[in-house]
Amino acid sequence: EPEVTQTPSHQVTQMGQEVILRCVPISNHLYFYWYRQILGQKVEFLVSFYNNEISEKSEIFDDQFSVERPDGSNFTLKIRSTKLEDSAMYFCASGQGDNEQFFGPGTRLTVL
Amino acid sequence: QKEVEQNSGPLSVPEGAIASLNCTYSDRVSQSFFWYRQYSGKSPELIMSIYSNGDKEDGRFTAQLNKASQYVSLLIRDSQPSDSATYLCAFAYSSASKIIFGSGTRLSIRP
């Protein structure tokens, strides 16, 4: 069964450094999403992406964040200058636009 | 007012019994409703989606939606220890839009 994959599974970085989180969505999906979950808190929407542009973003997704689909398979989330409060699980999800979204295993980001 | 409200639990149910999970949502324009299961340290896994009033059954799971009462529930029949997880209620305003999650109900199935 096709699934969303994410790399790395765990990323440790120093405050102020840039990180890139990578995702490979399910191959026939057209809609891509990033969510995050701070430890012990709810899953929060960050951004959605369709047809090579952002379709919606939350107030969390400020100028420090960007997304890109650099080729036909990868979808990336970049955090330009990480803060301590960016420490969280970051989930990529994809869907066909028919309501259902399927989540990848997540990247645990730790900012020291 | 929270957009999605769930009892945080833990809800403890004996093995083989029916587990009943409830959720209310605040926005009447919500269109699509979901139940995700999340094991500790893992990602959310979609187990049920429901779009119209009434019941929807899939194996041991039944989702119930009442839009007038802004209420959605999940029943798990013949509960198994492997059902022990956090169950996330969620909704979306339209197809392909962001999903808004509740904080989840922790379910524990005791042998």
Side-chain angles (χ1 to χ4, degrees):
Chain A
E1 189 171 322
E3 56 185 23
V4 177
T5 59
Q6 291 185 244
T7 53
S9 56
H10 192 185
Q11 174 87 51
V12 181
T13 189
Q14 295 290 326
M15 190 169 57
Q17 295 297 302
E18 173 183 289
V19 294
I20 297 176
L21 310 182
R22 302 180 192 279
C23 168
V24 179
I26 294 171
S27 61
N28 63 341
H29 286 181
L30 301 176
Y31 295 81
F32 315 117
Y33 309 84
W34 284 101
Y35 292 82
R36 79 172 186 190
Q37 187 175 31
I38 295 170
L39 186 63
Q41 298 188 23
K42 66 171 79 172
V43 177
E44 301 175 288
F45 168 78
L46 292 178
V47 65
S48 58
F49 192 86
Y50 170 72
N51 199 26
N52 280 320
E53 59 184 27
I54 290 173
S55 45
E56 188 176 6
K57 60 183 180 179
S58 72
E59 57 190 29
I60 302 169
F61 193 88
D62 61 22
D63 291 345
Q64 294 300 310
F65 291 86
S66 62
V67 290
E68 193 179 30
R69 187 151 163 83
D71 53 42
S73 58
N74 289 282
F75 179 50
T76 62
L77 174 69
K78 182 194 289 186
I79 309 175
R80 257 180 280 281
S81 178
T82 49
K83 307 184 189 69
L84 294 176
E85 54 265 36
D86 293 328
S87 294
M89 282 288 286
Y90 287 80
F91 298 112
C92 174
S94 70
Q96 293 178 307
D98 60 353
N99 295 294
E100 295 182 348
Q101 295 176 24
F102 299 91
F103 283 67
T107 293
R108 180 176 300 282
L109 176 64
T110 302
V111 182
L112 302 176
Chain B
Q1 185 184 9
K2 290 182 184 176
E3 292 178 290
V4 182
E5 296 219 35
Q6 299 181 252
N7 189 322
S8 62
L11 174 66
S12 181
V13 173
E15 185 175 354
I18 295 175
S20 177
L21 304 162
N22 304 311
C23 171
T24 56
Y25 59 94
S26 59
D27 200 325
R28 288 186 175 273
V29 302
S30 306
Q31 294 293 318
S32 312
F33 303 87
F34 311 96
W35 284 99
Y36 282 81
R37 177 175 62 198
Q38 187 175 30
Y39 294 111
S40 181
K42 303 294 185 183
S43 62
E45 176 192 4
L46 180 64
I47 55 172
M48 289 289 285
S49 54
I50 186 166
Y51 310 113
S52 54
N53 282 327
D55 295 0
K56 180 182 177 183
E57 186 175 318
D58 184 359
R60 295 187 295 112
F61 299 98
T62 299
Q64 299 172 316
L65 174 62
N66 183 324
K67 289 189 177 182
S69 301
Q70 295 175 244
Y71 173 89
V72 59
S73 66
L74 180 70
L75 299 177
I76 307 174
R77 287 181 298 283
D78 187 23
S79 296
Q80 303 296 309
S82 58
D83 295 327
S84 297
T86 297
Y87 288 80
L88 308 179
C89 175
F91 74 88
Y93 289 109
S94 61
S95 61
S97 74
K98 66 184 178 186
I99 289 180
I100 298 168
F101 286 88
S103 299
T105 298
R106 219 161 20 106
L107 175 65
S108 175
I109 307 300
R110 56 183 191 270

